[in-house]
Amino acid sequence: MAAISELRPEETSPAAPEHISGAIERVTFHNSENGFCVLRIKARGQYDLITVIGQAASVTAGEYIEASGHWVTDRTHGLQFKASLLQVIPPSTLDGIERYLGSGMVKGIGPHFARTLVKAFGERVFAVIEDNPEQLLELPGIGRKRQQRVTVAWAEQKVIRAIMVFLQSHGVGTARAVRIYKTYGEEAVERVRENPYRLALDIHGIGFKTADALAQRLGIPPDSLIRAQAGVRHVLQEIAGNGHCAAWHDELAEQATALLAIPPTVIEQAIASELEAEHLIAEQIDERPALLLTPLQRAEQGIALGVQRLLSGTPPWGQIDPERALPWVERQIELQLAASQRAGIAQVINAKLSVVTGGPGVGKTTVVDAILRILQAKAVRVLLCAPTGRAAKRLTETTGREAKTIHRLLDFDPQAMAFKRDQYSPLDTDLIICDEVSMVDTVLMNQLLRAVPTGAAVILVGDVDQLPSVGPGSVLADLINSERVPTVRLTEVFRQAAASRIVVNAHRINAGRIPEAPRDDQPKNDQPNSDFYLIRCDSPEQIHERLLKVITERIPQRFGLDPVRDIQVLTPMNRGSLGARALNSDLQRELNPSTQPRLERFGWTYAPGDKVIQLVNDYDKEVFNGDIGRILSIDTAEGLVTIGVDGRQIIYETGELDQVALAYATSVHKAQGSEYPAVVIPLATQHYNLLQRNLLYTAVTRGKRLVVLIAQPKALAIAVRQLGSQRLTRLRQRLLELNPVTAQSTPGAFALTQPFLDP
């Protein structure tokens, strides 16, 4: 191999690959997502360190590499060795072994313990850990627990590396190897070879395109039926990911044909095979052929049957006379109810299943409180729930009674991935009140209704004008629009709420009108503090500049709010200069700039003090999509990150950090069911596809004390004017197809414990 000093740019691309080997002195950069790395290595026969760029599943200082590739000259970074094949092997020198073990790659071994191990066992240390782990107990300060943690972590690393080598050899980024190992165990390679498309179904973070690329490298033909079936399922799952429970048959076939570039006849054959295997269900929606994923079709059917079952009969507390109950409850709450509230309460207390909906300031909380007081007077057993932890906590605060997440109420078992409460083991209650129902998707609503005993009653509370659930379906809207479920729609904004510009402007937006707010340039001494501000900007760049200033200076100084704890940026999109990802990087730099230690994983850099959001439901940890917390500590030696969420300390392994992301800014969808002291909303024309009325309305109603809208006037006008697209479901049609329910007269089950009479 020629010395570096002898190479000239025109000689940097020989036909035959060259080979170099050496010890990694420093990992300059490593992207866990795709394996790309920049390494500084000490190569044999070279005085200076060599820069090597390539792909490796994991790399650690002290390891030894063997690489094949070519020398290239980079305009910025100079001469580099570009490796087309890069193999990482454990080090052989004592210094390399110590650095390798002390890097934190093996949980339980930090720099100090690595030094102890090398001093005790020398070059035999790897063999000791793998073959004679009992010898570790001879070292001072090493107990059985730590010894077991080290040996288990070492064995896991060995298997993971084999999986990584396999995946990398087939051109796949291997950051997901840990998840593949945890899902399939030691059979991972065999399972992937058998059907690589299973990765897209079983492994979080691996999509169809990744699985498809692997399949083709493994020799599966592009026009094979197995590929067509996986592609059809993928397209339908993508459609479900956008909130739809169904897809039109012809549109699904057309999209799958375009995605896979295979003949339509093969796609139709794949659809037929999926129907035969009952992975898909074919139905008519408005007399047009449609296809549904089987779990969603079953869930819609379950909801319809649950509604029919619960509408039968009278409530377990019997009939209540509103003429006696309403004056009594007004004395209890020391408040004169409005006519609309009285009518709503009268309807709900004599219904088995009912919906209460309305926007901010219309008295939903008062109505629910009054209903609870009336039913408590009849010793009714009540359970309260909401779809998220934050929503459940808010329900607890407003009612004074314990509320749980739906998952906790139904006793979800993360090991079995199933609910313990169902039709065979129903909830022991007379009434269930579920809040924030607009967030509840089709599958979860089916699970909830299944667990409600037939004799019990259900009250569903939510704002139907907010964004629909993140998951598939528009359950609350379908229930209301079917007109099969008794519904109370509150619309009157009460005087106290009308003093809030947040409430007033939320209703203006919902009515298709531009919000009114103090201009940002009005004299502050002459204007009392409002709770809603509109800052008009000419460009996205100006929005970005004003947003950073508002968060770091204006709001903290004027309102005394903490920029990390109290202020939440809600943006329509994740991408773009005003998307959640870019804003998080900018806000992290401004609000948490120099905290150590810092940890880079899955494209994010984390540090103690960072605000983070949970991206997926983790039932083992009992944290759910949308939960927000703060990083409390990072232990690089143990590979652990501790995050505080709602007063609980939750420990993540570093390989699990793709479950979270920075949360200084987040999407409006992720904020559903949450409230924040202050909300800052950037709106630009670059958000065009998501500029919709219900999205802006949802964002504004997340703010409790302050909302600052920083917008291009054109973008604001589009958002207020543009209605969101309707989701394709069959639930409303199923409800309309139900046989009409005739209420049965049954005697009241309870006597009054607090009679609706004057003392």
Side-chain angles (χ1 to χ4, degrees):
M1 181 180 69
I4 294 177
S5 58
E6 297 172 357
L7 291 170
R8 288 188 290 273
E10 60 269 20
E11 299 173 338
T12 60
S13 297
E18 296 189 51
H19 304 276
I20 63 169
S21 59
I24 301 174
E25 290 290 319
R26 184 169 72 251
V27 179
T28 304
F29 176 80
H30 181 244
N31 186 331
S32 300
E33 192 71 23
N34 55 24
F36 177 76
C37 57
V38 180
L39 312 174
R40 296 284 284 168
I41 72 164
K42 178 65 176 175
R44 292 173 182 169
Q46 300 295 326
Y47 179 77
D48 296 323
L49 296 180
I50 294 172
T51 298
V52 176
I53 58 174
Q55 284 189 306
S58 65
V59 281
T60 305
E63 288 181 307
Y64 196 83
I65 68 162
E66 294 181 354
S68 300
H70 302 289
W71 292 98
V72 297
T73 301
D74 184 89
R75 291 182 179 179
T76 304
H77 303 290
L79 197 61
Q80 302 173 331
F81 189 82
K82 185 175 182 179
S84 55
L85 178 64
L86 195 153
Q87 184 179 8
V88 182
I89 57 178
S92 55
T93 67
L94 292 181
D95 180 61
I97 292 171
E98 183 178 327
R99 294 181 65 195
Y100 175 70
L101 290 174
S103 67
M105 66 161 292
V106 180
K107 285 180 291 184
I109 301 180
H112 176 73
F113 188 31
R115 194 173 304 114
T116 302
L117 285 170
V118 172
K119 186 176 180 181
F121 303 115
E123 296 178 358
R124 298 188 304 113
V125 64
F126 296 149
V128 169
I129 295 173
E130 189 166 338
D131 301 323
N132 299 291
E134 293 295 322
Q135 292 186 34
L136 298 178
L137 297 173
E138 301 171 3
L139 301 178
I142 308 303
R144 175 70 64 180
K145 185 175 180 181
R146 190 174 191 183
Q147 177 251 355
Q148 290 177 345
R149 189 163 72 246
V150 169
T151 52
V152 167
W154 181 265
E156 186 174 283
Q157 280 290 330
K158 186 176 181 181
V159 175
I160 290 170
R161 280 183 172 274
I163 296 169
M164 287 175 169
V165 168
F166 168 75
L167 292 173
Q168 190 178 6
S169 68
H170 290 90
V172 179
T174 53
R176 307 297 180 192
V178 174
R179 288 198 177 279
I180 295 173
Y181 168 68
K182 287 183 177 179
T183 303
Y184 301 137
E186 295 184 3
E187 298 178 352
V189 173
E190 180 183 340
R191 293 277 191 93
V192 171
R193 283 187 181 278
E194 179 186 302
N195 182 5
Y197 292 106
R198 72 168 68 241
L199 294 176
L201 298 174
D202 298 342
I203 310 296
H204 167 67
I206 295 183
F208 171 79
K209 291 184 178 179
T210 300
D212 192 37
L214 176 57
Q216 293 189 44
R217 285 185 170 88
L218 290 173
I220 294 177
D223 59 351
S224 64
L225 186 60
I226 187 176
R227 180 171 182 257
Q229 287 179 255
V232 165
R233 253 194 333 267
H234 165 70
V235 171
L236 196 48
Q237 285 167 339
E238 289 287 297
I239 291 170
N242 291 326
H244 303 283
C245 288
W248 302 121
H249 184 122
D250 53 352
E251 292 183 4
L252 173 64
E254 186 179 327
Q255 289 183 43
T257 300
L259 172 72
L260 302 175
I262 57 181
T265 53
V266 179
I267 295 296
E268 289 297 340
Q269 186 182 354
I271 291 174
S273 298
E274 290 293 283
L275 289 169
E276 185 178 354
E278 296 189 351
H279 296 149
L280 307 182
I281 303 290
E283 291 190 316
Q284 296 279 324
I285 300 178
D286 297 329
E287 301 182 355
R288 183 177 173 185
L291 295 166
L292 298 86
L293 290 167
T294 299
L296 294 178
Q297 192 267 356
R298 300 282 189 260
E300 282 197 349
Q301 281 187 330
I303 293 172
L305 293 173
V307 167
Q308 184 173 43
R309 175 174 61 87
L310 293 172
L311 283 174
S312 301
T314 56
W317 52 84
Q319 292 294 317
I320 295 176
D321 182 2
E323 296 300 323
R324 298 173 62 202
L326 290 168
W328 176 87
V329 81
E330 286 178 330
R331 291 193 296 273
Q332 295 292 311
I333 64 177
E334 299 180 345
L335 183 67
Q336 183 73 37
L337 293 168
S340 59
Q341 292 176 311
R342 291 171 65 91
I345 294 168
Q347 183 175 3
V348 171
I349 59 177
N350 284 310
K352 280 283 299 311
L353 174 64
S354 55
V355 169
V356 178
T357 187
V362 298
K364 289 198 305 293
T365 300
T366 301
V367 166
V368 172
D369 181 43
I371 292 168
L372 275 171
R373 286 174 182 265
I374 291 170
L375 297 180
Q376 282 173 339
K378 290 204 128 190
V380 171
R381 297 170 301 166
V382 181
L383 293 175
L384 305 180
C385 64
T388 66
R390 287 200 162 207
K393 186 176 180 181
R394 284 175 50 207
L395 185 57
T396 297
E397 293 167 352
T398 57
T399 62
R401 298 173 63 98
E402 181 189 14
K404 298 180 179 179
T405 64
I406 297 174
H407 283 83
R408 293 192 69 182
L409 181 72
L410 301 183
D411 199 5
F412 184 79
D413 181 357
Q415 301 303 319
M417 290 300 288
F419 294 93
K420 294 181 180 178
R421 293 291 193 173
D422 54 21
Q423 66 268 43
Y424 306 110
S425 179
L427 296 163
D428 185 18
T429 188
D430 305 308
L431 171 66
I432 292 175
I433 298 179
C434 183
D435 197 14
E436 295 287 357
V437 177
S438 63
M439 298 178 61
V440 181
D441 62 31
T442 300
V443 172
L444 189 56
M445 180 57 74
N446 178 45
Q447 297 291 349
L448 177 61
L449 295 184
R450 285 175 63 198
V452 180
T454 299
V458 176
I459 301 173
L460 304 174
V461 184
D463 185 349
V464 73
D465 294 318
Q466 287 187 20
L467 285 170
S469 57
V470 174
S474 51
V475 176
L476 182 59
D478 286 343
L479 290 173
I480 293 172
N481 294 334
S482 73
E483 299 183 353
R484 285 301 179 93
V485 180
T487 298
V488 175
R489 183 153 196 164
L490 302 170
T491 58
E492 181 182 352
V493 179
F494 294 99
R495 184 177 302 172
Q496 184 176 358
S500 165
R501 304 310 299 172
I502 295 175
V503 171
V504 170
N505 282 315
H507 285 277
R508 287 181 64 88
I509 291 166
N510 204 28
R513 299 160 64 192
I514 298 292
E516 292 180 344
R519 289 177 58 85
D520 184 55
D521 56 2
Q522 287 178 329
K524 300 301 181 290
N525 294 335
D526 300 332
Q527 296 290 331
N529 279 345
S530 174
D531 62 359
F532 189 102
Y533 290 88
L534 173 59
I535 301 175
R536 295 175 174 85
C537 296
D538 296 327
S539 65
E541 292 75 20
Q542 190 179 12
I543 292 175
H544 186 275
E545 178 187 346
R546 298 298 291 274
L547 181 142
L548 293 181
K549 188 172 184 179
V550 160
I551 292 169
T552 59
E553 300 177 20
R554 300 282 292 278
I555 294 178
Q557 292 170 5
R558 189 167 180 187
F559 295 91
L561 297 174
D562 183 271
V564 178
R565 183 185 64 244
D566 299 326
I567 303 173
Q568 185 62 52
V569 177
L570 300 180
T571 179
M573 300 181 72
N574 286 311
R575 298 178 181 176
S577 60
L578 293 175
R581 189 171 190 90
L583 289 175
N584 269 312
S585 297
D586 297 336
L587 289 166
Q588 182 189 45
R589 187 167 55 250
E590 293 286 336
L591 300 174
N592 197 27
S594 57
T595 310
Q596 296 294 336
R598 302 183 80 83
L599 177 69
E600 185 177 326
R601 285 294 186 277
F602 301 106
W604 294 103
T605 299
Y606 299 103
D610 276 335
K611 182 159 68 170
V612 293
I613 186 168
Q614 181 76 14
L615 300 176
V616 295
N617 292 335
D618 188 321
Y619 302 105
D620 290 314
K621 294 182 172 61
E622 289 193 355
V623 286
F624 302 99
N625 191 346
D627 284 350
I628 287 181
R630 295 281 291 273
I631 294 180
L632 303 177
S633 65
I634 296 176
D635 187 333
T636 54
E638 297 288 338
L640 302 175
V641 177
T642 303
I643 299 176
V645 180
D646 289 332
R648 296 186 299 131
Q649 293 190 9
I650 301 168
I651 297 176
Y652 291 75
E653 297 180 8
T654 53
E656 298 176 314
L657 289 179
D658 59 345
Q659 293 187 22
V660 302
L662 293 178
Y664 299 99
T666 188
S667 70
V668 180
H669 287 82
K670 290 289 185 185
Q672 285 179 268
S674 299
E675 283 187 344
Y676 312 95
V679 164
V680 178
I681 307 164
L683 275 189
T685 51
Q686 66 179 238
H687 299 141
Y688 181 80
N689 290 337
L690 290 173
L691 292 177
Q692 297 170 357
R693 186 183 301 172
N694 60 355
L695 182 137
L696 179 57
Y697 171 78
T698 301
V700 167
T701 54
R702 300 308 90 203
K704 289 197 294 186
R705 292 173 53 187
L706 178 66
V707 171
V708 179
L709 184 57
I710 309 176
Q712 289 178 275
K714 183 178 179 181
L716 178 58
I718 294 170
V720 169
R721 182 179 66 249
Q722 190 162 265
L723 295 174
S725 59
Q726 294 293 313
R727 292 184 168 185
L728 183 59
T729 77
R730 200 178 181 278
L731 178 58
R732 177 178 171 274
Q733 192 170 327
R734 295 184 204 284
L735 294 168
L736 290 172
E737 291 168 357
L738 294 176
N739 294 324
V741 175
T742 303
Q744 301 169 3
S745 228
T746 56
F750 300 95
L752 293 172
T753 57
Q754 299 177 33
F756 303 133
L757 299 171
D758 290 326

